[in-house]
Amino acid sequence: MKKLIFACAAFLLVLNACKRDEYYRDGGLANPNFNGNMLQYLQAKKVPFDTIAQIVKLAGMESTFSNEDFTFFALDDDVIKRTIGTIRTDGLNNLLFYSGKDTVKTLDQISPVIWKKYLQRYMFKGVNRLKDYQQIDFDVRSVYPGGLYYSLGGNISNIGVTYGTANNIKYIGYRQLVLTYIPDASKPNDNWFINKVSSSDIKPTNGVVHALAFNDLIGGAYFGFNRNDFFNDVYYSGLMPSNSSK
């Protein structure tokens, strides 16, 4: 009888181990699929993408996000809040206020052309998951360089996957997708703005979404990565009348 009990226990342990192996092989049992298009996904995830969904509409890109297949690195709403800022924070409104210009009260005061230009810095042709990108090691980029990609806005970025260390063995641990904005295409190895991905391979009915992690570094903290580009475009184009003042 004892032998039978031990045999059953051993069988259950083996079965449980197989389940764990299946989990690790699949990279997790969470369902990455979303039953809706990319815009509907952003609208459904009000935290953290409610403002981003609004900007998609302001940029006149509802059809693109609803129908076309592409890869989108989704920045969170806090990036927009930090970019616009207040007169007391290091954001756009601080620049406008101390330059004697009107400040941004509603997002529709910024030109749709500007919203579209900078939103496209996060959009890339093709449907690419984490497995489709090359490895990058920021310590030995000559060996593991990642890959260079042009965004739909025409800007260049490096996209790669970092391989973590486990049990003191390099490259067998956690894998994380990284988007790095390169401000000057003529100097592709200089002044990188590194942005890690918190959740990758989210799959709406069109395209794929990679959600960017919170980033307090200057490149990830502002819309369009290089905040001076966005600030200057808004500053020199002027603000449109807001809905509240019409």
Side-chain angles (χ1 to χ4, degrees), residues 201-215:
D201 296 3
I202 302 162
K203 188 66 181 71
T205 54
N206 65 308
V208 65
V209 177
H210 304 297
L212 293 172
F214 172 82
N215 193 337

Side-chain angles (χ1 to χ4, degrees), residues 130-138 140-141 143-147 158-164 170-172 175-176:
L130 181 148
K131 66 179 179 61
D132 299 314
Y133 294 107
Q134 301 175 45
Q135 181 178 355
I136 186 168
D137 186 329
F138 291 97
V140 283
R141 278 164 38 191
V143 180
Y144 299 109
N158 183 292
I159 306 176
V161 181
T162 59
Y163 288 52
K170 292 192 69 172
Y171 307 139
I172 69 167
R175 298 182 183 184
Q176 186 170 32

Side-chain angles (χ1 to χ4, degrees), residues 75-90:
L75 63 161
D76 63 34
D77 293 346
D78 283 340
V79 171
I80 305 300
K81 292 177 183 177
R82 288 195 298 271
T83 301
I84 303 302
T86 69
I87 63 173
R88 296 181 180 85
T89 60
D90 192 19

Side-chain angles (χ1 to χ4, degrees), residues 17-243:
C18 290
K19 288 293 185 181
R20 288 199 302 270
D21 288 343
E22 177 187 338
Y23 184 93
Y24 290 129
R25 282 200 303 271
D26 290 345
L29 296 179
N31 183 7
N33 298 311
F34 177 78
N35 187 24
N37 61 48
M38 196 177 295
L39 178 57
Q40 290 171 329
Y41 170 77
L42 297 175
Q43 292 172 325
K45 304 296 180 182
K46 293 186 179 299
V47 177
F49 300 129
D50 184 57
T51 304
I52 304 305
Q54 182 183 351
I55 288 172
V56 169
K57 295 179 180 180
L58 291 173
M61 301 191 75
E62 291 177 82
S63 177
T64 300
F65 275 76
S66 298
N67 303 304
E68 297 184 19
D69 289 342
F70 61 94
T71 299
F72 180 50
F73 286 82
L75 63 161
D76 63 34
D77 293 346
D78 283 340
V79 171
I80 305 300
K81 292 177 183 177
R82 288 195 298 271
T83 301
I84 303 302
T86 69
I87 63 173
R88 296 181 180 85
T89 60
D90 192 19
L92 175 62
N93 274 338
N94 179 281
L95 170 67
L96 295 174
F97 179 80
Y98 286 103
S99 299
K101 294 180 176 289
D102 290 337
T103 56
V104 178
K105 296 180 177 62
T106 58
L107 297 180
D108 61 356
Q109 289 179 272
I110 295 175
S111 167
V113 175
I114 295 176
W115 283 130
K116 181 176 182 179
K117 174 182 176 180
Y118 289 95
L119 191 63
Q120 286 182 319
R121 290 189 177 185
Y122 299 86
M123 301 165 63
F124 295 84
K125 184 179 180 180
V127 179
N128 295 313
R129 297 173 173 82
L130 181 148
K131 66 179 179 61
D132 299 314
Y133 294 107
Q134 301 175 45
Q135 181 178 355
I136 186 168
D137 186 329
F138 291 97
D139 294 326
V140 283
R141 278 164 38 191
S142 60
V143 180
Y144 299 109
L148 297 179
Y149 296 83
Y150 280 99
S151 72
L152 295 187
N155 304 95
I156 191 171
S157 289
N158 183 292
I159 306 176
V161 181
T162 59
Y163 288 52
T165 298
N167 298 323
N168 295 318
I169 302 175
K170 292 192 69 172
Y171 307 139
I172 69 167
Y174 176 76
R175 298 182 183 184
Q176 186 170 32
L177 190 59
V178 182
L179 168 69
T180 302
Y181 177 74
I182 301 172
D184 188 347
S186 67
K187 300 176 181 178
N189 294 314
D190 297 345
N191 303 317
W192 284 21
F193 293 145
I194 299 171
N195 299 258
K196 296 180 180 180
V197 168
S198 60
S199 298
S200 61
D201 296 3
I202 302 162
K203 188 66 181 71
T205 54
N206 65 308
V208 65
V209 177
H210 304 297
L212 293 172
F214 172 82
N215 193 337
D216 59 359
L217 299 176
I218 189 170
Y222 295 95
F223 185 54
F225 307 107
N226 187 345
R227 66 175 184 172
N228 290 334
D229 292 348
F230 182 77
F231 285 8
N232 287 336
D233 275 357
V234 176
Y235 182 90
Y236 288 110
S237 69
L239 296 180
M240 302 170 63
S242 67
N243 287 328

